[in-house]
Amino acid sequence: MAIQLRPAVVNDLPGIVALLHDDVLGADREHAELAPYETAFAEIDADPNHQVIVAVDGHDVIACLQVTALPCLTHGGRRRAQIEGVRVRSGRRGDGLGGQLVGHACDWAREQGCGVVQLTTDKARPDALRFYESLGFSPTHEGLKLPLEP
């Protein structure tokens, strides 16, 4: 059976969370309790400006990402897309699946009227930076984050 790229459904959440956890950085920040992920997914799924895309092999989720179309006042009011949470199962990396998944997200962004796609990658992931550059992304900006404590 061929690998299928499609919008995620709620039944994909255990596989998605496993991918997010199976990561050098995600191992410490993700957890096994599905309820918070179910709440977040319901909000994402209800908004047409968001999409979680999965790659499945049979019934197994082997890759995922989230893409969001953002209305912006800059660049003449042009919409932009933000890609987050790109993960490919460790045993499946290097076979082009990540590029297919990001390409699928870029196609969705074009359909939403986005003129640019942006993403960030943690500085602790130099391989990820090289991967995104190989897909045509350029490190044109310096990204900053501020954690908000509850």
Side-chain angles (χ1 to χ4, degrees):
M1 177 180 267
I3 293 171
Q4 180 186 16
L5 303 178
R6 61 166 172 75
V9 296
V10 72
N11 290 342
D12 294 323
L13 274 178
I16 292 168
V17 172
L19 286 172
L20 295 173
H21 188 269
D22 182 28
D23 175 81
V24 120
L25 300 175
D28 290 332
R29 70 177 174 223
E30 306 300 337
H31 47 83
E33 173 57 43
L34 284 181
Y37 298 101
E38 290 168 343
T39 300
F41 184 81
E43 187 175 347
I44 291 165
D45 198 41
D47 186 337
N49 291 311
H50 297 274
Q51 188 168 87
V52 176
I53 301 169
V54 292
V56 294
D57 188 356
H59 296 292
D60 293 331
V61 175
I62 58 172
C64 65
L65 63 70
Q66 179 179 341
V67 59
T68 301
L70 303 163
C72 296
L73 293 176
T74 59
H75 298 272
R78 175 177 70 176
R79 293 176 71 145
R80 65 182 61 218
Q82 175 77 28
I83 293 178
E84 299 280 342
V86 179
R87 298 291 188 280
V88 175
R89 186 180 288 174
S90 57
R92 303 299 291 259
R93 292 182 193 140
D95 64 1
L97 183 57
Q100 291 174 27
L101 190 63
V102 171
H104 190 80
C106 290
D107 290 343
W108 179 87
R110 278 187 205 89
E111 292 169 6
Q112 306 309 306
C114 297
V116 68
V117 175
Q118 62 190 26
L119 54 80
T120 62
T121 188
D122 197 288
K123 290 183 178 190
R125 292 185 168 127
D127 291 341
L129 179 59
R130 282 190 292 278
F131 165 70
Y132 294 125
E133 287 176 334
S134 78
L135 298 178
F137 287 83
S138 299
T140 60
H141 291 70
E142 193 69 32
L144 304 165
K145 295 189 180 192
L146 174 66
L148 300 176
E149 297 301 323

